[in-house]
Short mmCIF file of all heavy atoms in Angstrom, two decimals:
data_model
loop_
_atom_site.label_atom_id
_atom_site.label_comp_id
_atom_site.label_asym_id
_atom_site.label_seq_id
_atom_site.Cartn_x
_atom_site.Cartn_y
_atom_site.Cartn_z
N ARG A 13 -35.18 90.36 110.45
CA ARG A 13 -34.15 91.26 110.94
C ARG A 13 -33.00 91.33 109.93
O ARG A 13 -32.52 90.28 109.47
CB ARG A 13 -33.69 90.81 112.28
CG ARG A 13 -32.67 91.68 112.88
CD ARG A 13 -32.39 91.22 114.30
NE ARG A 13 -31.33 92.08 114.82
CZ ARG A 13 -30.74 91.93 115.93
NH1 ARG A 13 -31.08 90.90 116.68
NH2 ARG A 13 -29.83 92.73 116.34
N VAL A 14 -32.58 92.48 109.62
CA VAL A 14 -31.50 92.66 108.64
C VAL A 14 -30.23 93.07 109.37
O VAL A 14 -30.21 93.98 110.17
CB VAL A 14 -31.84 93.74 107.58
CG1 VAL A 14 -30.70 93.96 106.64
CG2 VAL A 14 -33.10 93.37 106.85
N LEU A 15 -29.13 92.34 109.12
CA LEU A 15 -27.85 92.69 109.67
C LEU A 15 -26.95 93.17 108.55
O LEU A 15 -26.89 92.56 107.50
CB LEU A 15 -27.22 91.46 110.35
CG LEU A 15 -28.00 90.93 111.51
CD1 LEU A 15 -27.32 89.67 112.07
CD2 LEU A 15 -28.15 91.97 112.64
N PHE A 16 -26.24 94.26 108.74
CA PHE A 16 -25.40 94.82 107.72
C PHE A 16 -23.94 94.42 107.96
O PHE A 16 -23.07 95.26 108.08
CB PHE A 16 -25.55 96.35 107.67
CG PHE A 16 -26.95 96.75 107.25
CD1 PHE A 16 -27.88 97.15 108.17
CD2 PHE A 16 -27.28 96.72 105.90
CE1 PHE A 16 -29.16 97.50 107.77
CE2 PHE A 16 -28.55 97.11 105.49
CZ PHE A 16 -29.50 97.48 106.43
N ARG A 17 -23.68 93.16 107.96
CA ARG A 17 -22.30 92.69 108.13
C ARG A 17 -21.54 92.69 106.85
O ARG A 17 -20.32 92.49 106.83
CB ARG A 17 -22.32 91.26 108.68
CG ARG A 17 -22.89 91.19 110.08
CD ARG A 17 -22.81 89.84 110.64
NE ARG A 17 -23.58 89.80 111.85
CZ ARG A 17 -23.82 88.73 112.55
NH1 ARG A 17 -23.32 87.59 112.13
NH2 ARG A 17 -24.51 88.76 113.64
N SER A 18 -22.20 92.92 105.73
CA SER A 18 -21.48 92.89 104.43
C SER A 18 -21.32 94.28 103.82
O SER A 18 -21.08 94.40 102.65
CB SER A 18 -22.26 91.98 103.46
OG SER A 18 -23.57 92.49 103.23
N LEU A 19 -21.41 95.31 104.62
CA LEU A 19 -21.24 96.69 104.16
C LEU A 19 -19.86 96.81 103.53
O LEU A 19 -18.83 96.45 104.12
CB LEU A 19 -21.42 97.64 105.29
CG LEU A 19 -21.43 99.11 104.91
CD1 LEU A 19 -22.62 99.43 104.01
CD2 LEU A 19 -21.52 99.99 106.18
N GLY A 20 -19.83 97.32 102.29
CA GLY A 20 -18.54 97.47 101.58
C GLY A 20 -18.07 96.21 100.88
O GLY A 20 -16.92 96.18 100.40
N LYS A 21 -18.89 95.16 100.86
CA LYS A 21 -18.51 93.94 100.22
C LYS A 21 -19.52 93.64 99.12
O LYS A 21 -20.64 94.20 99.07
CB LYS A 21 -18.57 92.79 101.20
CG LYS A 21 -17.55 92.96 102.37
CD LYS A 21 -17.62 91.77 103.32
CE LYS A 21 -16.67 91.98 104.46
NZ LYS A 21 -16.78 90.91 105.41
N ALA A 22 -19.14 92.76 98.19
CA ALA A 22 -20.04 92.33 97.12
C ALA A 22 -21.24 91.59 97.71
O ALA A 22 -21.13 90.97 98.75
CB ALA A 22 -19.35 91.45 96.11
N LEU A 23 -22.38 91.70 97.00
CA LEU A 23 -23.56 90.91 97.39
C LEU A 23 -24.28 90.49 96.16
O LEU A 23 -24.12 91.04 95.10
CB LEU A 23 -24.45 91.74 98.37
CG LEU A 23 -25.12 92.99 97.80
CD1 LEU A 23 -26.53 92.66 97.35
CD2 LEU A 23 -25.12 94.07 98.85
N SER A 24 -25.10 89.47 96.33
CA SER A 24 -25.91 88.97 95.18
C SER A 24 -27.40 89.03 95.56
O SER A 24 -27.77 88.76 96.72
CB SER A 24 -25.56 87.50 94.90
OG SER A 24 -24.24 87.45 94.40
N ILE A 25 -28.16 89.46 94.60
CA ILE A 25 -29.63 89.46 94.71
C ILE A 25 -30.10 88.65 93.52
O ILE A 25 -30.00 89.10 92.38
CB ILE A 25 -30.24 90.87 94.72
CG1 ILE A 25 -29.63 91.67 95.89
CG2 ILE A 25 -31.73 90.84 94.77
CD1 ILE A 25 -30.02 93.12 95.91
N GLY A 26 -30.60 87.46 93.79
CA GLY A 26 -30.93 86.56 92.69
C GLY A 26 -29.67 86.23 91.91
O GLY A 26 -28.67 85.85 92.48
N ASP A 27 -29.74 86.42 90.60
CA ASP A 27 -28.59 86.17 89.72
C ASP A 27 -27.73 87.40 89.54
O ASP A 27 -26.78 87.33 88.74
CB ASP A 27 -29.05 85.65 88.37
CG ASP A 27 -29.74 84.28 88.43
OD1 ASP A 27 -29.45 83.55 89.38
OD2 ASP A 27 -30.53 83.97 87.55
N ILE A 28 -28.02 88.50 90.17
CA ILE A 28 -27.32 89.73 90.00
C ILE A 28 -26.29 89.94 91.10
O ILE A 28 -26.62 89.92 92.29
CB ILE A 28 -28.28 90.96 89.97
CG1 ILE A 28 -29.38 90.73 88.93
CG2 ILE A 28 -27.55 92.24 89.75
CD1 ILE A 28 -28.92 90.58 87.52
N ARG A 29 -25.06 90.16 90.71
CA ARG A 29 -24.00 90.42 91.69
C ARG A 29 -23.67 91.94 91.66
O ARG A 29 -23.50 92.53 90.60
CB ARG A 29 -22.75 89.65 91.32
CG ARG A 29 -21.64 89.81 92.34
CD ARG A 29 -20.53 88.74 92.11
NE ARG A 29 -19.44 88.92 93.01
CZ ARG A 29 -19.33 88.45 94.25
NH1 ARG A 29 -20.35 87.71 94.71
NH2 ARG A 29 -18.31 88.67 94.98
N ILE A 30 -23.64 92.52 92.83
CA ILE A 30 -23.39 93.93 92.97
C ILE A 30 -22.09 94.10 93.75
O ILE A 30 -21.93 93.61 94.86
CB ILE A 30 -24.54 94.64 93.71
CG1 ILE A 30 -25.87 94.37 92.99
CG2 ILE A 30 -24.26 96.12 93.86
CD1 ILE A 30 -27.11 94.79 93.79
N GLU A 31 -21.15 94.78 93.12
CA GLU A 31 -19.83 95.01 93.71
C GLU A 31 -19.80 96.39 94.32
O GLU A 31 -20.49 97.32 93.90
CB GLU A 31 -18.74 94.90 92.65
CG GLU A 31 -18.68 93.56 91.95
CD GLU A 31 -18.02 92.47 92.77
OE1 GLU A 31 -17.37 92.82 93.80
OE2 GLU A 31 -18.17 91.30 92.43
N PRO A 32 -18.92 96.61 95.34
CA PRO A 32 -18.75 97.95 95.86
C PRO A 32 -18.38 98.93 94.74
O PRO A 32 -17.55 98.62 93.89
CB PRO A 32 -17.58 97.79 96.86
CG PRO A 32 -17.62 96.35 97.25
CD PRO A 32 -18.07 95.62 96.00
N GLY A 33 -19.02 100.07 94.72
CA GLY A 33 -18.76 101.07 93.69
C GLY A 33 -19.72 101.02 92.48
O GLY A 33 -19.79 101.94 91.72
N ASP A 34 -20.46 99.91 92.35
CA ASP A 34 -21.44 99.79 91.29
C ASP A 34 -22.56 100.84 91.53
O ASP A 34 -22.90 101.19 92.68
CB ASP A 34 -22.07 98.41 91.23
CG ASP A 34 -21.09 97.34 90.73
OD1 ASP A 34 -20.00 97.72 90.26
OD2 ASP A 34 -21.46 96.18 90.74
N LEU A 35 -23.17 101.32 90.43
CA LEU A 35 -24.24 102.26 90.53
C LEU A 35 -25.54 101.47 90.57
O LEU A 35 -25.77 100.61 89.68
CB LEU A 35 -24.23 103.20 89.32
CG LEU A 35 -25.40 104.17 89.20
CD1 LEU A 35 -25.36 105.19 90.33
CD2 LEU A 35 -25.37 104.87 87.85
N VAL A 36 -26.36 101.73 91.56
CA VAL A 36 -27.68 101.06 91.65
C VAL A 36 -28.70 102.18 91.59
O VAL A 36 -28.68 103.11 92.43
CB VAL A 36 -27.82 100.28 92.97
CG1 VAL A 36 -29.19 99.62 93.05
CG2 VAL A 36 -26.72 99.23 93.06
N ARG A 37 -29.59 102.10 90.63
CA ARG A 37 -30.61 103.15 90.40
C ARG A 37 -31.96 102.50 90.28
O ARG A 37 -32.13 101.52 89.54
CB ARG A 37 -30.22 103.91 89.15
CG ARG A 37 -31.17 104.96 88.70
CD ARG A 37 -31.03 106.20 89.58
NE ARG A 37 -31.99 107.19 89.12
CZ ARG A 37 -31.88 108.46 89.32
NH1 ARG A 37 -30.83 108.95 89.92
NH2 ARG A 37 -32.82 109.26 88.89
N GLY A 38 -32.92 102.99 91.03
CA GLY A 38 -34.27 102.45 90.95
C GLY A 38 -35.31 103.50 90.80
O GLY A 38 -35.10 104.64 91.28
N ASP A 39 -36.39 103.17 90.18
CA ASP A 39 -37.57 104.07 90.10
C ASP A 39 -38.81 103.18 90.04
O ASP A 39 -38.73 101.96 90.27
CB ASP A 39 -37.45 105.04 88.93
CG ASP A 39 -37.44 104.39 87.57
OD1 ASP A 39 -37.77 103.17 87.43
OD2 ASP A 39 -37.12 105.08 86.58
N ALA A 40 -39.90 103.74 89.69
CA ALA A 40 -41.17 103.00 89.64
C ALA A 40 -41.17 101.93 88.59
O ALA A 40 -41.98 100.96 88.65
CB ALA A 40 -42.33 103.97 89.39
N ASP A 41 -40.28 102.00 87.61
CA ASP A 41 -40.25 100.99 86.54
C ASP A 41 -39.31 99.80 86.85
O ASP A 41 -39.35 98.80 86.20
CB ASP A 41 -39.75 101.62 85.24
CG ASP A 41 -40.75 102.63 84.70
OD1 ASP A 41 -41.95 102.36 84.86
OD2 ASP A 41 -40.31 103.66 84.16
N GLY A 42 -38.44 99.96 87.88
CA GLY A 42 -37.56 98.86 88.23
C GLY A 42 -36.22 99.36 88.73
O GLY A 42 -36.06 100.53 89.08
N VAL A 43 -35.28 98.45 88.76
CA VAL A 43 -33.93 98.72 89.29
C VAL A 43 -32.90 98.35 88.27
O VAL A 43 -33.03 97.33 87.57
CB VAL A 43 -33.70 97.91 90.61
CG1 VAL A 43 -32.28 98.15 91.14
CG2 VAL A 43 -34.73 98.30 91.67
N CYS A 44 -31.83 99.13 88.17
CA CYS A 44 -30.76 98.88 87.23
C CYS A 44 -29.42 98.94 88.00
O CYS A 44 -29.26 99.78 88.81
CB CYS A 44 -30.79 99.96 86.14
SG CYS A 44 -29.42 99.83 84.97
N VAL A 45 -28.53 97.99 87.69
CA VAL A 45 -27.25 98.00 88.30
C VAL A 45 -26.19 98.19 87.21
O VAL A 45 -26.20 97.47 86.21
CB VAL A 45 -26.94 96.68 89.03
CG1 VAL A 45 -25.53 96.65 89.59
CG2 VAL A 45 -27.96 96.44 90.13
N VAL A 46 -25.37 99.24 87.31
CA VAL A 46 -24.31 99.49 86.34
C VAL A 46 -22.96 99.22 87.01
O VAL A 46 -22.64 99.88 87.99
CB VAL A 46 -24.38 100.96 85.85
CG1 VAL A 46 -23.23 101.23 84.85
CG2 VAL A 46 -25.70 101.26 85.22
N PRO A 47 -22.23 98.23 86.50
CA PRO A 47 -20.92 97.97 87.08
C PRO A 47 -20.02 99.20 86.95
O PRO A 47 -20.03 99.88 85.92
CB PRO A 47 -20.38 96.81 86.27
CG PRO A 47 -21.59 96.16 85.67
CD PRO A 47 -22.57 97.26 85.43
N LEU A 48 -19.26 99.48 87.99
CA LEU A 48 -18.36 100.62 87.96
C LEU A 48 -17.47 100.62 86.75
O LEU A 48 -17.26 101.70 86.12
CB LEU A 48 -17.53 100.63 89.26
CG LEU A 48 -16.53 101.83 89.39
CD1 LEU A 48 -17.29 103.14 89.36
CD2 LEU A 48 -15.73 101.63 90.67
N ALA A 49 -17.02 99.47 86.34
CA ALA A 49 -16.09 99.36 85.17
C ALA A 49 -16.77 99.78 83.86
O ALA A 49 -16.07 100.13 82.90
CB ALA A 49 -15.56 97.95 85.05
N ARG A 50 -18.12 99.78 83.83
CA ARG A 50 -18.83 100.16 82.58
C ARG A 50 -19.50 101.52 82.69
O ARG A 50 -20.24 101.94 81.81
CB ARG A 50 -19.85 99.09 82.26
CG ARG A 50 -19.19 97.73 81.91
CD ARG A 50 -20.16 96.79 81.35
NE ARG A 50 -20.75 97.27 80.11
CZ ARG A 50 -21.89 96.79 79.60
NH1 ARG A 50 -22.54 95.82 80.16
NH2 ARG A 50 -22.39 97.30 78.45
N PHE A 51 -19.25 102.26 83.79
CA PHE A 51 -19.96 103.50 84.04
C PHE A 51 -19.80 104.50 82.88
O PHE A 51 -20.76 105.07 82.39
CB PHE A 51 -19.50 104.13 85.36
CG PHE A 51 -20.19 105.45 85.65
CD1 PHE A 51 -21.46 105.42 86.19
CD2 PHE A 51 -19.58 106.65 85.40
CE1 PHE A 51 -22.11 106.63 86.45
CE2 PHE A 51 -20.19 107.83 85.67
CZ PHE A 51 -21.47 107.84 86.20
N ASP A 52 -18.52 104.74 82.44
CA ASP A 52 -18.31 105.72 81.38
C ASP A 52 -19.01 105.32 80.10
O ASP A 52 -19.61 106.16 79.41
CB ASP A 52 -16.83 105.84 81.13
CG ASP A 52 -16.10 106.58 82.25
OD1 ASP A 52 -16.76 107.29 83.03
OD2 ASP A 52 -14.87 106.37 82.37
N GLU A 53 -18.97 104.06 79.74
CA GLU A 53 -19.67 103.54 78.50
C GLU A 53 -21.20 103.77 78.63
O GLU A 53 -21.83 104.25 77.68
CB GLU A 53 -19.38 102.05 78.35
CG GLU A 53 -20.20 101.36 77.32
CD GLU A 53 -20.11 99.83 77.44
OE1 GLU A 53 -19.39 99.30 78.27
OE2 GLU A 53 -20.88 99.15 76.68
N VAL A 54 -21.76 103.42 79.78
CA VAL A 54 -23.19 103.56 79.95
C VAL A 54 -23.60 105.03 79.93
O VAL A 54 -24.63 105.38 79.32
CB VAL A 54 -23.64 102.85 81.26
CG1 VAL A 54 -25.10 103.20 81.60
CG2 VAL A 54 -23.43 101.34 81.16
N MET A 55 -22.80 105.88 80.56
CA MET A 55 -23.12 107.32 80.54
C MET A 55 -23.09 107.88 79.11
O MET A 55 -23.94 108.67 78.72
CB MET A 55 -22.16 108.10 81.42
CG MET A 55 -22.45 107.92 82.90
SD MET A 55 -24.09 108.43 83.37
CE MET A 55 -24.04 110.15 83.05
N LYS A 56 -22.11 107.46 78.32
CA LYS A 56 -21.99 107.93 76.96
C LYS A 56 -23.19 107.52 76.13
O LYS A 56 -23.80 108.32 75.42
CB LYS A 56 -20.70 107.38 76.30
CG LYS A 56 -20.53 107.87 74.88
CD LYS A 56 -19.27 107.30 74.25
CE LYS A 56 -19.12 107.83 72.84
NZ LYS A 56 -18.53 106.87 71.93
N LYS A 57 -23.56 106.24 76.25
CA LYS A 57 -24.73 105.72 75.51
C LYS A 57 -26.00 106.40 75.95
O LYS A 57 -26.91 106.69 75.16
CB LYS A 57 -24.82 104.25 75.62
CG LYS A 57 -23.76 103.51 74.84
CD LYS A 57 -23.92 102.02 74.88
CE LYS A 57 -22.80 101.35 74.07
NZ LYS A 57 -23.04 99.94 73.89
N SER A 58 -26.12 106.66 77.26
CA SER A 58 -27.30 107.36 77.79
C SER A 58 -27.40 108.78 77.24
O SER A 58 -28.48 109.22 76.82
CB SER A 58 -27.22 107.38 79.31
OG SER A 58 -28.29 108.08 79.86
N GLN A 59 -26.29 109.48 77.19
CA GLN A 59 -26.27 110.84 76.64
C GLN A 59 -26.60 110.83 75.17
O GLN A 59 -27.35 111.68 74.67
CB GLN A 59 -24.96 111.50 76.90
CG GLN A 59 -24.75 111.80 78.38
CD GLN A 59 -23.29 112.18 78.73
OE1 GLN A 59 -22.37 111.94 77.99
NE2 GLN A 59 -23.15 112.80 79.91
N GLU A 60 -26.11 109.82 74.42
CA GLU A 60 -26.40 109.72 72.98
C GLU A 60 -27.93 109.49 72.78
O GLU A 60 -28.55 110.07 71.92
CB GLU A 60 -25.62 108.60 72.33
CG GLU A 60 -24.15 108.91 72.20
CD GLU A 60 -23.32 107.67 71.80
OE1 GLU A 60 -23.88 106.55 71.72
OE2 GLU A 60 -22.11 107.85 71.56
N ARG A 61 -28.49 108.61 73.65
CA ARG A 61 -29.93 108.34 73.58
C ARG A 61 -30.73 109.59 73.87
O ARG A 61 -31.71 109.92 73.19
CB ARG A 61 -30.31 107.22 74.55
CG ARG A 61 -31.79 106.82 74.40
CD ARG A 61 -32.37 106.18 75.64
NE ARG A 61 -32.47 107.20 76.67
CZ ARG A 61 -32.01 107.06 77.89
NH1 ARG A 61 -31.41 105.95 78.28
NH2 ARG A 61 -32.11 108.05 78.78
N ASP A 62 -30.35 110.35 74.89
CA ASP A 62 -31.05 111.57 75.25
C ASP A 62 -31.00 112.59 74.13
O ASP A 62 -31.98 113.27 73.82
CB ASP A 62 -30.46 112.19 76.50
CG ASP A 62 -30.85 111.41 77.77
OD1 ASP A 62 -31.73 110.56 77.71
OD2 ASP A 62 -30.26 111.72 78.83
N THR A 63 -29.83 112.73 73.45
CA THR A 63 -29.68 113.64 72.32
C THR A 63 -30.58 113.22 71.17
O THR A 63 -31.26 114.06 70.60
CB THR A 63 -28.19 113.69 71.88
OG1 THR A 63 -27.41 114.17 72.96
CG2 THR A 63 -28.02 114.60 70.68
N LYS A 64 -30.58 111.93 70.88
CA LYS A 64 -31.44 111.45 69.80
C LYS A 64 -32.93 111.68 70.12
O LYS A 64 -33.69 112.13 69.25
CB LYS A 64 -31.18 109.95 69.59
CG LYS A 64 -31.98 109.33 68.45
CD LYS A 64 -31.62 107.89 68.27
CE LYS A 64 -32.45 107.26 67.17
NZ LYS A 64 -32.16 105.84 66.96
N GLU A 65 -33.30 111.40 71.36
CA GLU A 65 -34.69 111.60 71.77
C GLU A 65 -35.10 113.06 71.66
O GLU A 65 -36.21 113.38 71.26
CB GLU A 65 -34.93 111.06 73.16
CG GLU A 65 -36.36 111.09 73.60
CD GLU A 65 -36.57 110.40 74.93
OE1 GLU A 65 -36.20 109.25 75.07
OE2 GLU A 65 -37.07 111.09 75.88
N ALA A 66 -34.20 113.94 72.04
CA ALA A 66 -34.49 115.40 71.95
C ALA A 66 -34.72 115.77 70.50
O ALA A 66 -35.60 116.61 70.22
CB ALA A 66 -33.34 116.21 72.56
N GLY A 67 -33.94 115.21 69.57
CA GLY A 67 -34.13 115.47 68.17
C GLY A 67 -35.49 114.98 67.65
O GLY A 67 -36.15 115.67 66.85
N VAL A 68 -35.87 113.80 68.12
CA VAL A 68 -37.19 113.24 67.75
C VAL A 68 -38.28 114.14 68.24
O VAL A 68 -39.22 114.50 67.50
CB VAL A 68 -37.33 111.82 68.27
CG1 VAL A 68 -38.76 111.35 68.18
CG2 VAL A 68 -36.43 110.86 67.53
N MET A 69 -38.19 114.58 69.51
CA MET A 69 -39.23 115.44 70.07
C MET A 69 -39.31 116.77 69.32
O MET A 69 -40.40 117.26 69.07
CB MET A 69 -38.95 115.67 71.54
CG MET A 69 -39.11 114.41 72.42
SD MET A 69 -40.73 113.59 72.22
CE MET A 69 -41.81 114.82 72.88
N ASP A 70 -38.18 117.32 68.93
CA ASP A 70 -38.14 118.54 68.18
C ASP A 70 -38.85 118.38 66.85
O ASP A 70 -39.70 119.22 66.45
CB ASP A 70 -36.70 119.00 67.97
CG ASP A 70 -36.64 120.37 67.30
OD1 ASP A 70 -37.28 121.32 67.81
OD2 ASP A 70 -35.92 120.50 66.29
N ARG A 71 -38.57 117.28 66.16
CA ARG A 71 -39.26 117.01 64.87
C ARG A 71 -40.76 116.87 65.06
O ARG A 71 -41.54 117.36 64.23
CB ARG A 71 -38.63 115.79 64.23
CG ARG A 71 -37.22 116.03 63.72
CD ARG A 71 -36.55 114.79 63.17
NE ARG A 71 -37.22 114.34 61.96
CZ ARG A 71 -36.87 113.20 61.33
NH1 ARG A 71 -35.91 112.43 61.78
NH2 ARG A 71 -37.54 112.87 60.23
N LEU A 72 -41.18 116.20 66.13
CA LEU A 72 -42.59 116.01 66.38
C LEU A 72 -43.24 117.32 66.67
O LEU A 72 -44.38 117.60 66.20
CB LEU A 72 -42.81 114.98 67.53
CG LEU A 72 -42.43 113.53 67.25
CD1 LEU A 72 -42.51 112.72 68.53
CD2 LEU A 72 -43.29 112.92 66.18
N ARG A 73 -42.61 118.19 67.44
CA ARG A 73 -43.16 119.52 67.75
C ARG A 73 -43.31 120.37 66.48
O ARG A 73 -44.19 121.23 66.44
CB ARG A 73 -42.29 120.25 68.74
CG ARG A 73 -42.46 119.77 70.16
CD ARG A 73 -41.70 120.67 71.17
NE ARG A 73 -41.45 119.89 72.36
CZ ARG A 73 -40.31 119.28 72.64
NH1 ARG A 73 -39.26 119.37 71.83
NH2 ARG A 73 -40.16 118.61 73.76
N LYS A 74 -42.46 120.10 65.51
CA LYS A 74 -42.53 120.86 64.26
C LYS A 74 -43.57 120.26 63.29
O LYS A 74 -43.74 120.78 62.21
CB LYS A 74 -41.18 120.88 63.58
CG LYS A 74 -40.19 121.73 64.31
CD LYS A 74 -38.83 121.73 63.67
CE LYS A 74 -37.83 122.61 64.47
NZ LYS A 74 -36.48 122.55 63.90
N GLY A 75 -44.25 119.19 63.71
CA GLY A 75 -45.40 118.69 62.94
C GLY A 75 -45.15 117.39 62.21
O GLY A 75 -46.08 116.88 61.58
N GLU A 76 -43.95 116.83 62.27
CA GLU A 76 -43.74 115.54 61.58
C GLU A 76 -44.47 114.48 62.34
O GLU A 76 -44.70 114.55 63.55
CB GLU A 76 -42.27 115.21 61.54
CG GLU A 76 -41.47 116.02 60.53
CD GLU A 76 -40.04 115.49 60.38
OE1 GLU A 76 -39.88 114.35 59.88
OE2 GLU A 76 -39.13 116.23 60.74
N THR A 77 -44.82 113.39 61.65
CA THR A 77 -45.48 112.28 62.30
C THR A 77 -44.41 111.28 62.76
O THR A 77 -43.30 111.26 62.30
CB THR A 77 -46.40 111.55 61.31
OG1 THR A 77 -45.58 110.92 60.28
CG2 THR A 77 -47.43 112.45 60.70
N THR A 78 -44.82 110.42 63.71
CA THR A 78 -43.85 109.40 64.18
C THR A 78 -43.51 108.46 63.04
O THR A 78 -42.36 107.97 62.95
CB THR A 78 -44.47 108.57 65.32
OG1 THR A 78 -45.76 108.07 64.93
CG2 THR A 78 -44.59 109.39 66.59
N MET A 79 -44.42 108.25 62.12
CA MET A 79 -44.15 107.39 60.95
C MET A 79 -42.99 108.00 60.14
O MET A 79 -42.08 107.26 59.72
CB MET A 79 -45.40 107.23 60.07
CG MET A 79 -46.59 106.66 60.80
SD MET A 79 -46.33 104.94 61.29
CE MET A 79 -46.77 104.12 59.78
N ALA A 80 -43.01 109.28 59.94
CA ALA A 80 -41.98 109.95 59.13
C ALA A 80 -40.68 109.99 59.93
O ALA A 80 -39.61 109.76 59.41
CB ALA A 80 -42.40 111.36 58.75
N VAL A 81 -40.74 110.33 61.20
CA VAL A 81 -39.56 110.48 62.03
C VAL A 81 -38.77 109.13 62.06
O VAL A 81 -37.55 109.10 61.97
CB VAL A 81 -39.90 110.93 63.46
CG1 VAL A 81 -38.73 110.81 64.38
CG2 VAL A 81 -40.43 112.33 63.43
N TYR A 82 -39.49 108.04 62.22
CA TYR A 82 -38.81 106.75 62.35
C TYR A 82 -38.65 105.99 61.01
O TYR A 82 -38.14 104.92 60.96
CB TYR A 82 -39.57 105.87 63.35
CG TYR A 82 -39.42 106.39 64.74
CD1 TYR A 82 -40.51 106.96 65.45
CD2 TYR A 82 -38.20 106.36 65.42
CE1 TYR A 82 -40.37 107.46 66.71
CE2 TYR A 82 -38.06 106.85 66.69
CZ TYR A 82 -39.12 107.37 67.36
OH TYR A 82 -38.98 107.90 68.61
N GLY A 83 -39.13 106.64 59.91
CA GLY A 83 -38.97 106.03 58.62
C GLY A 83 -39.83 104.83 58.36
O GLY A 83 -39.48 103.96 57.57
N TRP A 84 -40.96 104.77 59.06
CA TRP A 84 -41.85 103.61 58.85
C TRP A 84 -42.72 103.89 57.64
O TRP A 84 -43.17 105.00 57.36
CB TRP A 84 -42.75 103.44 60.08
CG TRP A 84 -41.98 103.07 61.30
CD1 TRP A 84 -40.84 102.41 61.42
CD2 TRP A 84 -42.37 103.39 62.65
NE1 TRP A 84 -40.45 102.27 62.72
CE2 TRP A 84 -41.39 102.86 63.52
CE3 TRP A 84 -43.45 104.07 63.22
CZ2 TRP A 84 -41.43 102.99 64.88
CZ3 TRP A 84 -43.52 104.18 64.58
CH2 TRP A 84 -42.52 103.64 65.39
N PRO A 85 -42.92 102.81 56.82
CA PRO A 85 -43.74 103.01 55.63
C PRO A 85 -45.19 103.32 56.00
O PRO A 85 -45.73 102.74 56.93
CB PRO A 85 -43.61 101.68 54.91
CG PRO A 85 -43.23 100.69 55.95
CD PRO A 85 -42.46 101.48 57.01
N MET A 86 -45.78 104.21 55.23
CA MET A 86 -47.19 104.55 55.46
C MET A 86 -47.98 103.71 54.45
O MET A 86 -47.69 103.71 53.28
CB MET A 86 -47.41 106.03 55.26
CG MET A 86 -46.64 106.82 56.26
SD MET A 86 -47.00 108.57 56.29
CE MET A 86 -48.71 108.62 56.68
N LYS A 87 -48.99 103.03 54.96
CA LYS A 87 -49.80 102.18 54.12
C LYS A 87 -51.18 102.74 53.96
O LYS A 87 -51.71 103.42 54.72
CB LYS A 87 -49.86 100.76 54.69
CG LYS A 87 -48.52 100.07 54.65
CD LYS A 87 -48.62 98.68 55.18
CE LYS A 87 -47.26 98.01 55.15
NZ LYS A 87 -47.28 96.67 55.53
#
């Protein structure tokens, strides 16, 4: 039986502490907790990653190989 006496309060799951206002996101790959204080930083890095990934996908669609896109030596 689950009682929700801690609604609006911090809680811990294992070694992870979740504070009110933290972003908790889950999907089939797992769960991520982003502290509210780091939300802007995480969003900026996420958008940068998405932009970089879109550039990689564009290059691949134009025929480049992953080896060339990532600068890996061809042997």
Side-chain angles (χ1 to χ4, degrees):
R13 182 174 177 187
V14 177
L15 298 176
F16 295 100
R17 295 183 189 175
S18 61
L19 188 63
K21 298 180 183 177
L23 64 97
S24 294
I25 301 174
D27 293 336
I28 305 300
R29 185 167 175 86
I30 304 169
E31 299 284 345
D34 289 352
L35 175 67
V36 179
R37 177 76 182 203
D39 64 14
D41 294 323
V43 177
C44 177
V45 177
V46 178
L48 180 60
R50 295 191 61 199
F51 180 80
D52 290 339
E53 169 195 355
V54 170
M55 285 302 295
K56 181 180 180 214
K57 288 184 179 189
S58 177
Q59 290 167 342
E60 289 170 354
R61 185 205 67 230
D62 286 348
T63 299
K64 182 178 178 181
E65 186 173 303
V68 167
M69 293 305 295
D70 186 53
R71 290 174 67 184
L72 292 172
R73 282 188 204 98
K74 290 179 180 175
E76 286 188 66
T77 66
T78 52
M79 301 294 276
V81 169
Y82 292 108
W84 295 331
M86 298 188 59
K87 294 183 181 184

